[in-house]
Amino acid sequence: MSIKTYPSDAIGSDTARANYLDYLMRLYARFAGWGHGRVNYAIMPGILKREFKVEPNGTYKSIPLSRFDEAVRLVQIAIETTKLGAIKKSRQRLYLPFEEFAQRVAA
């Protein structure tokens, strides 16, 4: 298996940012699957590819770094608008901010 490389201006070139998007997308899948037990991890990467017009054989990691904040916000809104997100939002934080995530991973 070969390791995919990304252009220096793509999210995939920044491990911390790519991992943070992965973290948010896994959270979204768990939140969206809550209540019916079906978790589909492929939904959010597809939405990101479509929203940011990624080429057909590319991945969400091909999104330009300059659009990282937009991609993050899109996934965060998706998390917040799930049924579980709406329930938990009033009582607790739904996800870590990027800076805190990066610190925890680096530690």
Side-chain angles (χ1 to χ4, degrees):
M1 184 171 114
S2 64
I3 297 175
K4 183 154 174 69
T5 57
Y6 296 92
S8 61
D9 64 341
I11 288 173
S13 70
D14 184 321
T15 305
R17 284 176 170 69
N19 287 342
Y20 184 63
L21 262 182
D22 285 338
Y23 155 76
L24 288 175
M25 288 189 297
R26 284 191 311 270
L27 270 180
Y28 170 76
R30 287 195 351 241
F31 277 50
W34 179 79
H36 52 77
R38 292 184 311 270
V39 177
N40 186 343
Y41 291 98
I43 290 174
M44 190 51 66
I47 291 170
L48 286 172
K49 281 182 65 172
R50 186 175 60 246
E51 182 70 24
F52 292 94
K53 296 174 179 49
V54 174
E55 59 193 48
N57 62 341
T59 72
Y60 68 92
K61 292 181 181 181
S62 301
I63 296 169
L65 268 172
S66 62
R67 299 194 70 193
F68 172 74
D69 290 337
E70 290 175 71
V72 164
R73 193 62 197 133
L74 188 146
V75 182
Q76 289 172 337
I77 290 169
I79 291 168
E80 293 164 7
T81 57
T82 62
K83 189 172 185 177
L84 182 58
I87 292 168
K88 291 180 114 182
K89 190 174 167 180
S90 64
R91 296 190 321 263
Q92 68 188 65
R93 185 167 65 171
L94 299 178
Y95 43 78
L96 297 174
F98 172 68
E99 295 76 17
E100 187 175 338
F101 174 85
Q103 287 175 346
R104 287 186 183 193
V105 172

